Amino acid sequence: MKQHQRTPLSLCIAAGLVALAAPAGSWAQSSTPVAPPVETLETVVVTAQKRPQKLQEIPVAVSVVTAQDIENRGISGFAELLGLIPNTTIDQNTSAQPTITIRGITSSTNNIGMESGVGVVIDDVFLGRPSAFSTQLIDIERVEVLRGSQGTLFGKNTTGGLINIVTSKPSRQFAAAADLTGGSYGLRQARAYVTGGVGDEMAAKLSFTSKRRDGWVENRNPAGPDLMSEDFDGVRGQLQGKAAGLSWLLSADHGRDRAVDNYYDVREGGLSAFDANGNDRSIATNGGDQFGRTIKGASLKLETQSQGINWVSITAQRGVDWYGRNDQDYTDQAILVLSRKEKQSQFSQELRASGQSGRLNWLAGLYYFRQKQDGVDRMVLDELTPVLFGLPYMPGFQEAADTIVHLDTRSSAAFGSGSYALSETVELNTGLRYTSERKRMNYRQELQQQVGLIGALAAEVAPFDGARKDAQWSGDIGLAFKHGKQLNSYLKMTRGFKAGGFDTTQATSADPGDLSFDPETVQATELGFKSILAGGRLRLNGAAFHMDYKNKQEQFFNGVSQRVSNAARARISGAELDLTARPDAALQVGLSLGYQDATYKDYLANAGKRLVDSSRLTASLSGQYEHSVGGGWGWMIRGDIQYRSKSYQQPDNDERYTQPGHSLVNLSTGLRSDDGRYALLLWAKNLGNKTYRTSTYSVDAFQTMYQAVNAPRMVGLELRVSL
């Protein structure tokens, strides 16, 4: 490993010990003086159903990560958020393709023609592609994780659940904050925001983040970069105002990645002789690894009220442009290079009206979404490839296959939901959505050949067009029960769907067919409860669920490329428990448990096998202790333990392609002044320096298996200043 890439652990520990020797007080996030801590839990308000509601009253399985949670854990990236949420996992071997799994349904889409089963929404704007949202967090107020199908208010592509990200909004009162972080592998990060009034009726806010980290996978080739690095700059601007009864919020953001963050290590097989190092985080490539991504977007939200009806309009334009290139044989020999270029743009318009009439709360809306995508996948066989096929070495040899795709999607929907109080203790909740979607695809594949070796992996495909139209009903119906001021329960049934699409990866036949696959549908039943116990010091929520899938879209690796097909039937049953307790003013503990039995019921020869990326058990335990020792300062220490059982990465549950069960320990400790102006936080992630396999695949042509592992222990020190 290049020595300049590490920030010595001893420096961070020494700085932390100096900080801990200072006077202490209570820990909080506000820049205003800190109020004395209370023993009851904070009331959490969410907008998971597109209107403010208390977490304990909403009949939905939802978990919330607040801004204070993010700060106290030293979180800066999206991948760190989900470890404490039951039946929810995330794997991220590349920023452009995070794999989020909720209740056995994954967002993994190594294919621009396949939609994600987990939706992501930022400030009421749905993102069409997983690659289209920033994996670095910029000034976040909270993140809401909704588990289970959200087919009424959010529509298609939320069969597994939804990540609802809410950013922090402008204030007319002047405020500013900044933080600096240094840590392992050359981590250096700066974040800041400033907000205040503009004129008589407006407020503005500007937020930015800049993050650099050297790669934690050593490239033994001096000419090549270390891998799994980070290089991100992002900015968001917001302008908020009100005039003549109309409230508006104009937002715009821009982010840029330049990291090299995709790697695999030779595990066994034909190319193992070229990687005799044996270190899971050390490889040798022959250079050229690249990753670049630009994300940008703007939205305008308008709100007004007329005759007791609340009207909302959200207009948004977003896009992502990214390019990745990898030495895909992961050796220092010139064998195989894969690259992908994707450009996506989307426009969306949502109109909503809501109100209350007697016992009825209602919401109705219209939604339109237009997305354009252009993608080029390029496979290059390099100089040494002929030798692997038993031919003489050919200096300058190179053959390539380019898969070129254009997709155009138009989707429109009408939806409505309502809750009706049947009595003081029983409420009927129901909703319905109709979605109509058209997709058009243009596909072609071009080969550049010398002796025809590329023909073993891809075929020349003449340009052709494909089209499909899908129309689906989705919705929910349920009952909510109030058993007292602090205990609620609910029963609901939902129907959701994920849109159909096209398999746009490399074709091995000159006549690949229409490449389309059908929508998947899910019918689910959920029974849950939410309670506040021990005089407000204990929050205990739980749910049990059962889901039946038809035509479940499944992605699998066939030894050459990722393919997509429909699994006729699949079934998932499970349960969740989420507990938060504050035994006294200084101590808060949390426990989450998630269990699921996710199996294919009818899918080729895979009936009875576990679904891809679905761990049977997830669990977490956290504890946070705050202590005021006078002198205007406070001390905080927090620990998190996360566990995830084994998961399979292929539908046939081949034991060679698994992520083993594993646990991680994260720790943070720090100081904050009682007036909220200064804070110092020392954190360690993967404190025990555990190593486990995160992903495995094989290339049949090389008879070689590859694996990637998790990040090693990371330590960092943050300094924060608020005005």
Side-chain angles (χ1 to χ4, degrees):
M1 186 70 66
K2 301 173 178 65
Q3 293 300 313
H4 71 277
Q5 294 179 333
R6 292 181 181 266
T7 295
L9 175 62
S10 58
L11 291 180
C12 289
I13 294 176
L17 292 175
V18 170
L20 294 177
S26 64
W27 184 274
Q29 189 182 15
S30 172
S31 59
T32 59
V34 178
V38 295
E39 294 186 4
T40 57
L41 293 168
E42 177 186 4
T43 298
V44 179
V45 176
V46 298
T47 54
Q49 293 192 315
K50 300 198 174 184
R51 58 189 175 95
Q53 292 174 290
K54 293 181 180 179
L55 174 67
Q56 293 305 104
E57 296 178 358
I58 181 173
V60 174
V62 56
S63 298
V64 179
V65 182
T66 67
Q68 187 168 344
D69 294 331
I70 293 172
E71 181 176 303
N72 289 354
R73 292 162 59 189
I75 292 175
S76 61
F78 184 79
E80 303 171 50
L81 282 175
L82 305 181
L84 302 182
I85 298 173
N87 285 329
T88 304
T89 62
I90 182 169
D91 293 305
Q92 191 167 330
N93 203 40
T94 172
S95 298
Q97 295 171 339
T99 301
I100 305 168
T101 303
I102 301 178
R103 290 186 175 176
I105 306 305
T106 179
S107 68
S108 178
T109 57
N110 190 23
N111 184 325
I112 69 170
M114 183 181 182
E115 309 280 5
S116 168
V118 175
V120 177
V121 172
I122 299 181
D123 288 339
D124 285 310
V125 179
F126 180 83
L127 304 186
R129 295 292 297 164
S131 59
F133 72 92
S134 169
T135 54
Q136 300 298 324
L137 303 175
I138 306 176
D139 198 14
I140 301 299
E141 179 180 308
R142 68 182 182 275
V143 177
E144 304 169 0
V145 181
L146 291 73
R147 301 185 296 280
S149 175
Q150 310 299 318
T152 299
L153 297 178
F154 296 97
K156 70 184 184 74
N157 306 339
T158 58
T159 48
L162 184 89
I163 311 293
N164 185 34
I165 302 173
V166 181
T167 66
S168 184
K169 300 303 186 293
S171 170
R172 286 190 49 77
Q173 182 178 357
F174 174 80
D179 65 69
L180 296 173
T181 304
S184 304
Y185 296 90
L187 172 64
R188 53 261 190 220
Q189 175 179 273
R191 297 179 295 188
Y193 75 83
V194 60
T195 186
V198 179
D200 295 331
E201 296 292 338
M202 292 187 297
K205 190 171 195 179
L206 184 65
S207 310
F208 92 93
T209 183
S210 178
K211 186 177 185 180
R212 304 287 185 275
R213 190 200 296 274
D214 301 326
W216 49 263
V217 174
E218 177 191 26
N219 193 340
R220 298 190 303 276
N221 181 355
D226 288 344
L227 285 76
M228 303 307 289
S229 60
E230 295 182 72
D231 185 341
F232 179 82
D233 294 299
V235 63
R236 178 189 297 114
Q238 297 172 308
L239 190 62
Q240 189 175 49
K242 186 175 183 179
L246 179 68
S247 300
W248 52 271
L249 174 65
L250 178 64
S251 301
D253 62 89
H254 187 280
R256 180 200 65 89
D257 277 307
R258 291 295 182 269
V260 181
D261 66 350
N262 186 20
Y263 97 100
Y264 280 86
D265 185 32
V266 175
R267 181 182 178 190
E268 61 183 51
L271 299 182
S272 58
F274 297 117
D275 185 32
N277 176 266
N279 187 328
D280 291 326
R281 299 188 181 101
S282 176
I283 66 174
T285 71
N286 50 305
D289 296 285
Q290 300 176 36
F291 175 77
R293 179 176 62 160
T294 300
I295 307 166
K296 55 187 176 182
S299 65
L300 175 64
K301 183 176 183 179
L302 304 174
E303 295 184 78
T304 190
Q305 189 175 73
S306 175
Q307 297 180 340
I309 299 176
N310 299 309
W311 298 89
V312 178
S313 169
I314 303 165
T315 307
Q317 176 76 46
R318 297 200 61 86
V320 60
D321 192 349
W322 72 274
Y323 172 77
R325 181 185 187 276
N326 286 97
D327 177 8
Q328 200 70 19
D329 58 89
Y330 298 104
T331 73
D332 57 4
Q333 305 298 309
I335 301 173
L336 176 65
V337 176
L338 294 184
S339 62
R340 169 171 291 181
K341 184 176 183 180
E342 180 181 342
K343 184 174 184 179
Q344 180 257 13
S345 64
Q346 67 173 71
F347 170 82
S348 61
Q349 174 65 57
E350 182 170 356
L351 297 172
R352 296 199 308 260
S354 61
Q356 182 175 359
S357 178
R359 296 184 176 186
L360 176 67
N361 278 291
W362 60 273
L363 183 149
L366 299 172
Y367 182 75
Y368 175 77
F369 178 83
R370 173 80 184 273
Q371 178 175 256
K372 294 183 179 181
Q373 297 168 263
D374 290 284
V376 180
D377 283 0
R378 182 173 177 82
M379 175 190 292
V380 177
L381 301 183
D382 223 328
E383 284 188 343
L384 193 64
T385 310
V387 178
L388 299 178
F389 280 85
L391 299 176
Y393 178 73
M394 302 178 187
F397 171 87
Q398 197 171 84
E399 293 189 342
D402 292 310
T403 308
I404 305 164
V405 181
H406 173 76
L407 285 167
D408 192 335
T409 301
R410 301 181 189 222
S411 180
S412 56
F415 60 92
S417 70
S419 59
Y420 184 81
L422 299 174
S423 69
E424 292 184 357
T425 59
V426 182
E427 183 179 82
L428 173 66
N429 298 286
T430 187
L432 195 63
R433 187 183 189 105
Y434 180 76
T435 303
S436 178
E437 181 164 294
R438 295 176 181 267
K439 287 186 177 180
R440 295 187 177 276
M441 176 194 68
N442 179 268
Y443 181 101
R444 71 182 189 273
Q445 191 160 274
E446 301 172 351
L447 302 188
Q448 301 171 20
Q449 304 184 69
Q450 293 184 26
V451 298
L453 294 182
I454 194 71
L457 303 175
E460 188 93 24
V461 179
F464 73 94
D465 295 323
R468 64 174 301 115
K469 179 181 178 181
D470 296 311
Q472 294 277 345
W473 290 95
S474 56
D476 62 89
I477 185 169
L479 293 171
F481 306 91
K482 294 183 179 180
H483 306 283
K485 291 185 178 180
Q486 306 296 351
L487 176 61
N488 300 316
S489 64
Y490 63 90
L491 172 66
K492 70 172 184 176
M493 293 178 287
T494 63
R495 186 183 192 276
F497 81 100
K498 186 167 77 165
F502 297 94
D503 192 344
T504 60
T505 52
Q506 275 130 354
T508 57
S509 168
D511 183 13
D514 66 5
L515 298 179
S516 68
F517 50 86
D518 294 330
E520 68 177 28
T521 60
V522 57
Q523 291 182 260
T525 302
E526 181 174 326
L527 176 64
F529 72 91
K530 299 189 174 185
S531 63
I532 296 291
L533 306 171
R537 296 193 298 271
L538 174 65
R539 180 168 58 235
L540 180 63
N541 299 338
F545 58 90
H546 177 82
M547 302 189 291
D548 282 306
Y549 274 82
K550 292 184 179 179
N551 293 324
K552 185 181 185 304
Q553 297 165 10
E554 205 57 71
Q555 184 172 263
F556 63 95
F557 190 74
N558 66 356
V560 178
S561 61
Q562 295 280 356
R563 311 303 302 175
V564 180
S565 65
N566 288 102
R569 291 175 55 232
R571 186 171 296 166
I572 306 173
S573 297
E576 299 160 347
L577 195 66
D578 204 344
L579 177 150
T580 304
R582 185 179 282 277
D584 59 45
L587 177 64
Q588 180 167 312
V589 296
L591 171 68
S592 78
L593 295 171
Y595 172 82
Q596 60 190 6
D597 181 19
T599 57
Y600 300 103
K601 294 302 177 183
D602 184 5
Y603 180 37
L604 303 176
N606 300 318
K609 304 291 187 180
R610 298 246 304 273
L611 266 60
V612 172
D613 289 326
S614 60
S615 295
R616 192 180 296 274
L617 180 65
T618 59
S620 71
L621 177 65
S622 64
Q624 180 173 305
Y625 179 75
E626 306 170 56
H627 182 56
S628 177
V629 294
W633 288 86
W635 172 65
M636 183 276 300
I637 185 167
R638 179 187 177 99
D640 298 300
I641 304 173
Q642 305 167 16
Y643 173 77
R644 175 181 175 183
S645 65
K646 181 173 73 172
S647 62
Y648 293 95
Q649 296 167 346
Q650 288 281 64
D652 62 2
N653 289 188
D654 189 327
E655 291 290 340
R656 297 176 298 169
Y657 307 101
T658 63
Q659 180 174 146
H662 58 272
S663 59
L664 292 176
V665 177
N666 300 326
L667 184 68
S668 58
T669 184
L671 302 169
R672 190 177 184 92
S673 60
D674 286 349
D675 61 7
R677 295 191 62 183
Y678 305 103
L680 190 68
L681 182 74
L682 175 68
W683 50 257
K685 298 166 185 176
N686 188 8
L687 183 66
N689 203 26
K690 290 284 188 72
T691 299
Y692 59 89
R693 188 169 60 250
T694 60
S695 182
T696 307
Y697 78 101
S698 65
V699 177
D700 292 349
F702 304 148
Q703 297 182 338
T704 299
M705 293 188 66
Y706 295 90
Q707 71 173 15
V709 300
N710 64 306
R713 176 173 49 230
M714 301 284 186
V715 178
L717 185 66
E718 296 183 14
L719 173 64
R720 306 180 188 135
V721 179
S722 301
L723 301 178

